[in-house]
Amino acid sequence: MPEKPYNHEEIELKWSASWDAQPGLYQAADDGAKPRYYVLEMLPYPSGRLHMGHVRNYSIGDTLARYQWMRGFDVLHPMGWDAFGLPAENAAIKNKRHPGEWTRSNIAHMKVQLRRLGFAYDWAREVSTCEPEYYRWNQWLFLRMMEKGLAYRKISLVNWCPECATVLANEQVENGCCWRHETTPVEQRELVQWFLRITAYAEELLNDMQQIEAGWPSMVLTMQRNWIGRSEGAEIDFGLCGSDEKLRVFTTRVDTIYGATCVILAPEHPVSKQFCTGDLAVRLKAMVDDQSRKDPENLVKDGFFTGHYAVNPYNGEEVPVWVANFVLWGYGTGAIMAVPAHDERDFEFCTKYGIAIVPVIRPVDGVLAVSPTEPFTEYGVVENSGEWSGLASSEARKQMAARAKAEGFGEASITYRLKDWGVSRQRYWGTPIPVIHCDTCGVVPVPDDQLPVVLPADVELTGKGKSPLASHESFVNTTCPKCGAAARRETDTMDTFVDSSWYFFRYVDPQNESLPFDPARVAPWFPVDQYIGGVTHAIMHLLYSRFWSKVMRDIGLVSVDEPFKNLFTQGMVQLNGQTMSKSKGNIVDPDEMVVKYGADTCRLFTLFAAPPEKNMDWNESSVEGQYRFVTRIFKWVTRNADATDGSGENDARALRKLHQTIAKITSDFDNRWHFNTSIAALMELLNELQACEAGMSPAVRQECAGKLTLLLAPFAPFVAEELWATMGHAGPVFKQGWPVCDPELAREESLEIPVQINGKVRGRVNVPNGSTKEEQEQAARADDKIQSLIAGKEIVKVIVVPGKLVNIVVKG
RNA sequence: GCCGGAGUGGCGAAAUCGGUAGACGCAGCAGACUCAAAAUCUGCCGAGGUACACCUUGUGUGGGUUCAAGUCCCACCUCCGGCACCA
């Protein structure tokens, strides 16, 4: 067969149409006949167009999915849409289009893009979170959480983004600003809000990390561990002078309590308000409202004495009660005991205001400081602390907390940085929270058989004022399911992170109308074998998903503790070292790439440019290199596929490289996913085959053409399918068996090994593969050049690493 | 400040277990083909030297361990990510 020219457009459009016409092509059999493999990529927000980050994420996942098909697994590879969210509302306001219409047309376009790129998704399992068929189960699950006390309402200070006109979860606040509006400071507002009790699972979220330690990047686990922020300590009640009330503080260093020289309250603490009257009330108000507290980096410690005193329960000493801007209301009890001798912050504060500094801990091998110039914050030996003096810090912590418990003025306690997940959003385009407010019955859950609470379509969006649903009368006005009286619907919607916290379960049973999914169908697919997405979701999405899975397990829907066995976080796609973004105007459009070079080239380039976990820079001229590679491989295979001539003197050489390449790529897949080196190995193979071509027999040409096509298939599905069909084989190519390396054929007959003298390479000798140490040493010594270099010198020793090198150590 | 990760040619990178540093590709240079160009093919391509099948030097900096260090240890510098008054 003469070589064919490579026409990417013709080939890709042809196979694209063919694959689209076979809806069952990428479906999992789900019958247990083959071992199952679940490849999951984070579902996109339907913003309108795919960006290069999507292309990279999905190229990695698709390559893995196709490889696992070829390895004989029953692969589940679904895709869906994280379709609720604020951008749809904003776009609707701007363009006077309904958010649903905007979202659905975006989905339609992006789906075309995904298909054009050749990603092998089972579209029969497509999930779109803005459809009532999906979000009714958000509501159903929310009601189950209410029943278990895991969803609750409370008044609290919450993060409010004025730009979004809604509340944000703690996880959605970055540097005091909204995660979507990086320059908009988040305000604190006191509102009644719905919360999910993620803190009830704090301990489990920490402990179960050992189940996924092997399969998750340690950085993500560390970030989650820090976010949860478990801290062991004690809560201690200080008496208030002239009152029966107590003031509770949290400390991790109760062993230092004899050094406490004041108690400090957060400005928001109720006792602060109680103690501050007259002028102090004005100072307090100013401190509460002070926006600069949002920026902890530049916050200057500031505080004032309330005029009140508290009593240290251990030694009866009276200490002044202060209010200070650096004490956080949201952590611990919102009040601390200040031990300036043993805490950096307390030292800074007390030095500034001339509060006494009393050292009570000495270094294990040192003496107690007299008038310290800096705090000693490490563990040591307790001194000047009554009966506890002489104890080691760690021991004193335990014993002193036990005493507090025994005498009723405190107890050992564990505090978390993690707070409950605020899920209320005062926006339209989200899942309505399924409760009804009745004047007589209070908060009443919507009964299951009335789900879903459907978002009304006819809503006026202005972006101003309160939640759009609140002014929709026919939505708001309803009757109480309990007493039948007139009542009002809840008008807040759920955080969209609820939607993405369990969608991966729904994929397994996406049409289920009586449950979120059938537990029996879901069980065999979990945990997900491989989850792939950006590290930006390390805390929010991944922590919420872990939490939600545990709740579903406790409801009896799921049998695993952890949803994702293996997590892979891919790097960002950048242009000239900068993140691509609309505001910077440096977006590379995948569509243009596909038109110009084809999907195969686009995919190969994203995989070749860098290992998948690293950030990669988009460089158009490098893309052309991939196009050249695809063209060369296409031409080589088409002109050799049914070759009839050739001597065969290069057969062994060609087959050796072929089988070495099979081993290399298989190992890349199984061990580390460095597809850049896999593709480099394919290039090396092609270079070698071109060099050998004239001397290859027809049978070996065909053999190499076929295997090369199979090795290429996970990376460049279109051209591989075309070549496979050209060779007259039945497809699809990604369901063929993955080539197996024959170690005999891959084996090198002789090896060139370097000969070093004193660790410097001085020559190279050829030895038969499998030579003994002695044979290698002999070959090295026999080399003319080596002989002349060691002549007359004393050989101290000779190190031989079989197949690797010979190092002769000489003296003189 | 604390916790991670990284630093290798002009560029993206490779070296997976301490054993030939720079595979593979991009860009560049030279040549072949061509009236010419593009495409394609061949060769060269870290730096310095040179007798060009050779020598010296070289993986952020400075030390160390080792027959041997990009890789291990100590100290430091720079960049990226996360956390950051969490008591």
Side-chain angles (χ1 to χ4, degrees), chain A residues 186-292:
Chain A
V186 167
E187 298 167 8
Q188 299 301 304
R189 291 200 180 180
E190 198 157 70
L191 291 170
V192 184
Q193 295 283 293
W194 286 96
F195 288 86
L196 299 184
R197 208 179 293 279
I198 191 171
T199 53
Y201 287 83
E203 204 58 28
E204 221 193 315
L205 286 166
L206 280 174
N207 290 337
D208 285 353
M209 283 187 193
Q210 57 182 316
Q211 292 188 30
I212 50 178
E213 217 149 28
W216 282 43
S218 58
M219 182 178 70
V220 174
L221 294 177
T222 304
M223 284 166 70
Q224 292 204 358
R225 214 171 269 129
N226 290 342
W227 187 262
I228 295 168
R230 184 182 194 273
S231 180
E232 269 182 47
E235 290 185 12
I236 303 295
D237 291 327
F238 277 67
L240 289 175
C241 295
S243 154
D244 290 339
E245 284 177 51
K246 306 275 189 198
L247 185 62
R248 180 159 277 218
V249 302
F250 174 73
T251 178
T252 55
R253 292 297 302 271
V254 67
D255 57 306
T256 65
I257 200 165
Y258 282 73
T261 51
C262 68
V263 163
I264 312 179
L265 306 175
E268 294 86 355
H269 198 291
V271 175
S272 299
K273 207 176 223 175
Q274 188 187 320
F275 281 1
C276 295
T277 51
D279 288 352
L280 287 185
V282 177
R283 284 188 77 175
L284 182 68
K285 173 95 170 57
M287 192 176 280
V288 170
D289 292 342
D290 180 10
Q291 283 300 313
S292 71

Side-chain angles (χ1 to χ4, degrees), chain A residues 775-790:
Chain A
E775 287 164 342
Q776 276 189 38
E777 181 177 341
Q778 215 168 15
R781 283 175 184 265
D783 185 77
D784 287 348
K785 193 180 157 203
I786 298 301
Q787 271 187 359
S788 71
L789 284 166
I790 60 176

Side-chain angles (χ1 to χ4, degrees), chain A residues 405-455:
Chain A
K405 173 91 173 165
E407 300 199 355
F409 61 82
E411 62 194 326
S413 108
I414 295 165
T415 294
Y416 300 91
R417 212 188 78 105
L418 180 72
K419 289 194 230 152
D420 280 341
W421 175 13
V423 292
S424 291
R425 294 293 179 274
Q426 291 70 46
R427 302 299 309 197
Y428 166 69
W429 196 233
T431 305
I433 291 175
V435 299
I436 289 166
H437 300 279
C438 170
D439 286 340
T440 41
C441 307
V443 175
V444 182
V446 173
D448 282 0
D449 60 12
Q450 290 175 28
L451 297 183
V453 177
V454 179
L455 268 184

Side-chain angles (χ1 to χ4, degrees), chain A residues 470-611:
Chain A
S471 41
H472 192 286
E473 302 230 332
S474 65
F475 177 81
V476 173
N477 295 320
T478 184
T479 52
C480 171
K482 246 188 197 164
C483 70
R488 286 156 291 109
R489 277 193 198 282
E490 171 68 58
T491 58
D492 281 357
T493 52
M494 296 184 202
D495 183 4
T496 57
F497 277 102
V498 168
D499 310 335
S500 54
S501 291
W502 68 281
Y503 73 100
F504 39 88
F505 291 112
R506 180 76 180 173
Y507 278 146
V508 176
D509 190 12
Q511 264 89 47
N512 199 316
E513 288 179 11
S514 52
L515 280 174
F517 48 82
D518 176 356
R521 285 191 66 184
V522 159
W525 288 102
F526 274 81
V528 170
D529 293 282
Q530 188 63 59
Y531 196 22
I532 306 164
V535 74
T536 40
H537 299 100
I539 293 171
M540 291 188 274
H541 164 57
L542 289 166
L543 190 64
Y544 294 149
S545 294
R546 294 182 60 218
F547 159 59
W548 202 278
S549 299
K550 290 175 193 304
V551 173
M552 292 177 110
R553 177 203 60 196
D554 292 346
I555 292 170
L557 287 167
V558 171
S559 51
V560 290
D561 296 322
E562 289 290 334
F564 314 123
K565 188 161 106 197
N566 297 296
L567 170 72
F568 188 91
T569 51
Q570 98 264 4
M572 292 184 295
V573 182
Q574 302 176 313
L575 194 66
N576 304 322
Q578 290 204 302
T579 321
M580 291 190 192
S581 74
K582 271 186 198 158
S583 56
K584 291 191 190 117
N586 61 349
I587 306 267
V588 175
D589 187 351
D591 284 359
E592 284 174 31
M593 287 292 134
V594 169
V595 167
K596 202 165 167 188
Y597 301 104
D600 283 333
T601 295
C602 194
R603 294 173 57 149
L604 279 168
F605 175 72
T606 62
L607 297 175
F608 180 74

Side-chain angles (χ1 to χ4, degrees), chain A residues 755-809:
Chain A
V755 182
Q756 300 181 332
I757 294 172
N758 290 343
K760 295 198 174 195
V761 180
R762 285 293 182 254
R764 294 179 171 83
V765 292
N766 275 297
V767 296
N769 195 353
S771 297
T772 62
K773 280 189 171 193
E774 291 70 26
E775 287 164 342
Q776 276 189 38
E777 181 177 341
Q778 215 168 15
R781 283 175 184 265
D783 185 77
D784 287 348
K785 193 180 157 203
I786 298 301
Q787 271 187 359
S788 71
L789 284 166
I790 60 176
K793 296 188 174 151
E794 183 197 343
I795 294 178
V796 182
K797 65 172 160 177
V798 179
I799 289 123
V800 183
V801 184
K804 287 283 184 188
L805 58 48
V806 175
N807 187 10
I808 302 169
V809 185

Side-chain angles (χ1 to χ4, degrees), chain A residues 90-141:
Chain A
N90 294 337
I93 294 162
K94 204 169 152 194
N95 309 325
K96 304 255 179 278
R97 286 176 79 184
H98 189 270
E101 189 212 321
W102 182 84
T103 303
R104 287 181 194 105
S105 81
N106 285 348
I107 287 174
H109 178 73
M110 290 169 78
K111 201 164 156 181
V112 169
Q113 290 186 298
L114 289 175
R115 293 191 126 143
R116 181 63 188 80
L117 281 158
F119 296 132
Y121 298 123
D122 179 359
W123 288 109
R125 298 177 183 275
E126 180 179 4
V127 159
S128 182
T129 61
C130 68
E131 303 302 337
E133 294 75 30
Y134 183 82
Y135 70 68
R136 73 173 288 185
W137 301 113
N138 284 346
Q139 296 171 339
W140 188 90
L141 288 159

